Amino acid sequence: MKFSIRNNKLEFYAEFYGKYSVICGDSAIGKTTLYDFLHEAEDGVIGYDLRINVPYHVLDKRESTDDIKKFENTLLIMDESCKLLHLSDTATVLRESPNRFLII
């Protein structure tokens, strides 16, 4: 899976392989900015150039197990505040899903 996103100030490019990908690192390196960029691009905010070669959806912090069941063969992008990551059966939910996951 490849994607690039940019606006007039910043640009991100990434390639991921497999069902699960995690972006982690020190604070203030741009993880939240990347998540916000992807969310705003999905919402149609003008000024973002997003190129991604798979269907995707940015999960907000309120979306849960039932919400991801409506997606199939989609890259689901979430950050650490996503409700789904704080369930006791998170591993099972992710494993049984037909989707790919990018956790930021």
Side-chain angles (χ1 to χ4, degrees), residues 9-100:
K9 295 180 182 180
L10 296 171
E11 180 175 1
F12 292 94
Y13 172 81
E15 279 187 52
F16 300 103
Y17 303 93
K19 184 172 180 169
Y20 313 102
S21 299
V22 178
I23 296 175
C24 58
D26 295 335
S27 56
I29 63 169
K31 297 180 304 295
T32 300
T33 300
L34 172 59
Y35 175 81
D36 291 343
F37 266 30
L38 291 166
H39 206 288
E40 290 169 1
E42 182 181 41
D43 288 344
V45 174
I46 296 174
Y48 290 97
D49 179 27
L50 173 64
R51 298 174 193 270
I52 188 166
N53 63 350
V54 296
Y56 79 100
H57 175 66
V58 180
L59 296 169
D60 68 29
K61 63 183 177 181
R62 297 176 307 271
E63 290 182 276
S64 65
T65 305
D66 291 336
D67 295 314
I68 70 165
K69 289 180 181 176
K70 58 187 169 184
F71 298 99
E72 196 167 307
N73 299 316
T74 300
L75 174 66
L76 298 178
I77 302 167
M78 63 187 87
D79 75 351
E80 64 187 357
S81 65
C82 183
K83 181 179 174 181
L84 182 63
L85 292 175
H86 300 279
L87 302 173
S88 60
D89 62 343
T90 296
T92 302
V93 170
L94 297 183
R95 184 177 54 249
E96 292 176 354
S97 174
N99 299 297
R100 296 168 70 181

